[in-house]
Amino acid sequence: MKNTFMYLFIFSLLINVFLYVNSNKILKAKDAEVVRMKENLKASNVAIDSLKASDYFSIETDQDAQDYFYNKNLDYPKVMAKVNEDLNSLNTNKSGNKLVPYESIEGKPFIINKAKMLNHRWIIAEYSNSNLWGQVLIKYFHNDDKPTDFETVETVMYEKQLKK
């Protein structure tokens, strides 16, 4: 009987040692995982902050620009849609978009490809003729019952890149 108790004692001691070692390994692995997750979270927060900073000039995040339209009893998403529609309708002209002050080159007119409303008064847009491209800063004045009035403030055209 003494041998049985001794064997049980040794067996329970071995199981306890095994459980202790195993739980320590699991704990260290989980601690390492927590550290990795904290680093990933920190990197994600930095990325989110940089995205917020890069989207600073946008009517979606500019409460003052939104309030400008709300004070006139206008819904800014509807205004944005109308202004974009009016801007894109200028691309239908055969000589190109009138907001891009460059003549057609090689028979290819300049049209606006992408535009972003910065606030209640300015738009920045990218234009091209499939070979050359640039950007244009546009001042706009929203009209409820007629097309939006646009005025080109400044443009920049990039040099054609030579293929290496």
Side-chain angles (χ1 to χ4, degrees):
M1 189 75 152
K2 286 184 180 182
N3 285 341
T4 307
F5 284 120
M6 187 173 76
Y7 288 130
L8 285 175
F9 176 74
I10 292 173
F11 180 70
S12 65
L13 183 65
L14 288 174
I15 287 182
N16 284 333
V17 168
F18 171 76
L19 290 175
Y20 175 76
V21 170
N22 193 35
S23 64
N24 276 344
K25 286 182 181 179
I26 291 172
L27 186 60
K28 285 180 184 177
K30 291 296 180 185
D31 285 344
E33 186 177 344
V34 166
V35 168
R36 276 194 316 272
M37 290 301 221
K38 283 183 179 179
E39 290 171 358
N40 288 343
L41 183 62
K42 198 178 286 186
S44 297
N45 286 337
V46 168
I48 288 170
D49 289 343
S50 70
L51 282 174
K52 284 180 183 177
S54 70
D55 202 31
Y56 179 77
F57 292 105
S58 175
I59 196 164
E60 288 91 2
T61 59
D62 188 349
Q63 189 63 45
D64 294 326
Q66 293 173 15
D67 289 343
Y68 174 84
F69 290 119
Y70 288 138
N71 291 338
K72 293 185 171 200
N73 294 323
L74 297 170
D75 190 21
Y76 86 91
K78 291 179 182 175
V79 172
M80 287 174 48
K82 182 182 183 302
V83 170
N84 276 327
E85 182 180 308
D86 292 344
L87 186 64
N88 287 329
S89 70
L90 296 175
N91 285 338
T92 59
N93 189 347
K94 290 186 181 191
S95 62
N97 194 309
K98 72 176 186 174
L99 297 172
V100 180
Y102 302 109
E103 296 291 323
S104 297
I105 297 177
E106 299 172 2
K108 297 177 182 176
F110 288 97
I111 61 170
I112 291 180
N113 301 320
K114 188 188 274 189
K116 180 177 182 177
M117 292 181 68
L118 301 177
N119 57 25
H120 64 286
R121 191 60 64 217
W122 297 329
I123 298 172
I124 190 163
E126 187 258 345
Y127 65 87
S128 73
N129 73 346
S130 75
N131 286 334
L132 298 171
W133 62 95
Q135 295 172 342
V136 59
L137 183 63
I138 303 167
K139 193 177 205 179
Y140 74 95
F141 303 94
H142 170 72
N143 301 311
D144 287 335
D145 51 349
K146 56 185 180 175
T148 306
D149 295 325
F150 296 104
E151 177 184 322
T152 301
V153 176
E154 189 70 43
T155 63
V156 62
M157 185 183 297
Y158 298 108
E159 295 181 16
K160 190 172 184 177
Q161 300 293 317
L162 300 174
K163 295 182 179 179
K164 293 182 181 181

